[in-house]
Amino acid sequence: MEFKKILITGGAGFIGSNFINHLLSKRDDVFIVNLDKLTYAGNLENLKPSEAKKNYVFIKGDITNNELVNYVFNKYNIKYVINFAAESHVDRSILGSEIFYRTNVIGTNVLLEASRRFEVEKFLQISTDEVYGSLGPNGLFTEKTPLAPNSPYSSSKAAADLMALSFSHTFGLPVIVTRCSNNFGPYQFPEKLIPLMIINAINDKKLPVYGDGLNVRDWIYVLDHNRAIETVLDHGKNGEIYNIGASNEKRNIDIVKLILDKLQKPESLIEFVKDRPGHDRRYAIDSTKIKSELGWKPIFAFEDAIFETIDWYIKNKSWWERIISGDYKKYYKTLYENR
Ligand code: NAD
Ligand code: TYD
């Protein structure tokens, strides 16, 4: 059988590992090469369900390393690329932006150049709704919304999107960009809102809510995002952008209260802390295009998926205890102490 040879970058992170586990659990027409630098956010434990599969290999390496990327394309005859690799956390991009531009911009450029040379059949750039900036109380982001990124993180992702689309326009590289809203689910690194609040609540620690807690994010379960990426991989049109979202707008404070309620912890654990500089007020995504043109739609109800996620963190304490007992402690102290 002819395999689809797919290079997945950043496949040891939250979304990438869920994607690999999802794809390998149901398809045997793919061969996956996972190239990941294993930064603080990369964790091979996430890939336990896939590591023994014959159609899967892991390579530890940096997407900014031209020579290595060339070697990987050549050795595995890569024909499909899905670029998840990124520095992904807004707060870290405020603490230090350089690595964001190095990985998210230069790294994407290295992959695009290699993809040109090796004439890949598809290059999926995994992006975010944060490239559109912040919304007022009304309206939704569509694919035509002008880019207006506000954080070093989102500006680096917007730069990568534009670069990828320019390679489509100028060189005819078969590029597709997907822009998804905020994900949640198993294996999400505890720096992000939902796992951070679940873990702090379990540990009876304060829950640091930025500003007034009324910022709105549009949440999607990671498996729905992954199903959308699979749809785009199989049926997406080259040169196009697809927004991905599940229409679950929630205020941060309501998410935090839901988590406390489910864990039967008191609301007195909530602590309002100094706001994030440049904090985007509201994100909300219109995914009409991917629904009407490619037939994807989300299948997980928000309440069920968040309860499942909370249960996952309850049952997988050893996974996150190892994380929060290491370098994470220093990060947490820097960001949250005396805030
Ligand atoms: P993550 O931080 O959990 O994982 C990122 C992975 O990339 C890690 O495994 C890390 O080791 C790897 N990586 C980082 N720098 C690398 C480099 N130079 N070379 C090779 N590997 C490197 O991130 P995530 O939440 O899984 O996000 C994955 C992608 O999806 C990112 O591109 C992000 O911008 C995008 N995205 C995320 C969300 C979200 O809610 N988390 C929403 C929309 C889009
Ligand atoms: P986050 O998970 O960092 O995603 P993003 O900023 O990329 O949307 O944050 C989600 C929302 O939660 C955002 O409005 C910031 C807020 N937040 C807090 O209030 N406290 C926290 O400790 C964190 C990490 C986030």
Side-chain angles (χ1 to χ4, degrees), residues 89-91 130 153 182 191-194 196-197 208-210 215 217 219 252 276 279-280 283 336:
H89 191 40
V90 173
D91 291 319
E130 301 194 24
Y153 163 66
N182 285 63
E191 67 194 352
K192 304 286 186 343
L193 177 77
I194 289 181
L196 186 142
M197 297 300 171
V209 174
Y210 299 164
N215 299 63
R217 295 295 182 262
W219 294 94
N252 294 339
R276 170 190 281 172
H279 195 177
D280 285 338
Y283 301 147
Y336 293 99

Side-chain angles (χ1 to χ4, degrees), residues 28-92:
D28 52 14
D29 64 329
V30 296
F31 184 93
I32 292 178
V33 179
N34 175 10
L35 175 65
D36 195 298
K37 185 180 171 185
L38 297 183
T39 66
Y40 77 90
N43 187 345
L44 290 179
E45 279 183 56
N46 303 4
L47 292 151
K48 276 264 177 324
S50 302
E51 64 188 11
K53 298 249 159 79
K54 284 196 183 68
N55 50 341
Y56 169 77
V57 286
F58 173 73
I59 297 168
K60 182 177 187 309
D62 191 326
I63 58 165
T64 67
N65 182 340
N66 226 320
E67 220 173 300
L68 172 71
V69 167
N70 250 310
Y71 165 83
V72 171
F73 272 75
N74 195 26
K75 170 155 182 175
Y76 293 100
N77 192 22
I78 296 299
K79 287 294 160 210
Y80 297 81
V81 178
I82 310 181
N83 184 25
F84 290 95
E87 289 293 334
S88 70
H89 191 40
V90 173
D91 291 319
R92 287 189 194 252

Side-chain angles (χ1 to χ4, degrees), residues 282-296:
R282 175 172 167 259
Y283 301 147
I285 206 149
D286 180 342
S287 27
T288 306
K289 180 175 170 180
I290 187 172
K291 286 180 179 154
S292 61
E293 293 184 12
L294 305 185
W296 169 86

Side-chain angles (χ1 to χ4, degrees), residues 8-18 34-44 46 58-65 83-89 99 102-104 107 111 125-130 153 156-157 178-184 187-189 191-192 218-220 222 225 229 244:
I8 292 187
T9 68
F14 163 49
I15 304 174
S17 61
N18 274 290
N34 175 10
L35 175 65
D36 195 298
K37 185 180 171 185
L38 297 183
T39 66
Y40 77 90
N43 187 345
L44 290 179
N46 303 4
F58 173 73
I59 297 168
K60 182 177 187 309
D62 191 326
I63 58 165
T64 67
N65 182 340
N83 184 25
F84 290 95
E87 289 293 334
S88 70
H89 191 40
I99 189 68
R102 187 181 299 281
T103 288
N104 302 1
L111 294 170
Q125 175 63 12
I126 305 302
S127 188
T128 163
D129 61 353
E130 301 194 24
Y153 163 66
S156 70
K157 294 296 290 185
T178 59
R179 295 184 179 142
C180 191
S181 62
N182 285 63
N183 285 223
F184 67 98
Y187 302 115
Q188 186 167 31
F189 195 84
E191 67 194 352
K192 304 286 186 343
D218 187 352
W219 294 94
I220 183 170
V222 64
H225 183 193
I229 295 168
I244 302 167

Side-chain angles (χ1 to χ4, degrees), residues 166-269:
S166 80
F167 272 60
S168 163
H169 185 84
T170 302
F171 305 115
L173 190 72
V175 165
I176 302 177
V177 173
T178 59
R179 295 184 179 142
C180 191
S181 62
N182 285 63
N183 285 223
F184 67 98
Y187 302 115
Q188 186 167 31
F189 195 84
E191 67 194 352
K192 304 286 186 343
L193 177 77
I194 289 181
L196 186 142
M197 297 300 171
I198 296 171
I199 290 169
N200 281 17
I202 291 174
N203 286 339
D204 298 308
K205 281 185 67 178
K206 290 281 183 195
L207 273 49
V209 174
Y210 299 164
D212 59 8
L214 301 181
N215 299 63
V216 171
R217 295 295 182 262
D218 187 352
W219 294 94
I220 183 170
Y221 191 51
V222 64
L223 290 184
D224 271 333
H225 183 193
N226 287 335
R227 291 176 47 257
I229 295 168
E230 190 185 359
T231 301
V232 171
L233 179 70
D234 290 336
H235 307 293
K237 217 171 124 214
N238 295 338
E240 295 290 319
I241 299 162
Y242 296 96
N243 282 353
I244 302 167
S247 304
N248 292 308
E249 281 188 59
K250 306 280 173 207
R251 303 183 311 178
N252 294 339
I253 189 67
D254 296 330
I255 296 262
V256 169
K257 286 184 177 168
L258 184 97
I259 291 169
L260 286 170
D261 186 52
K262 166 80 176 157
L263 290 169
Q264 297 183 305
K265 299 283 182 170
E267 288 190 5
S268 56
L269 285 178

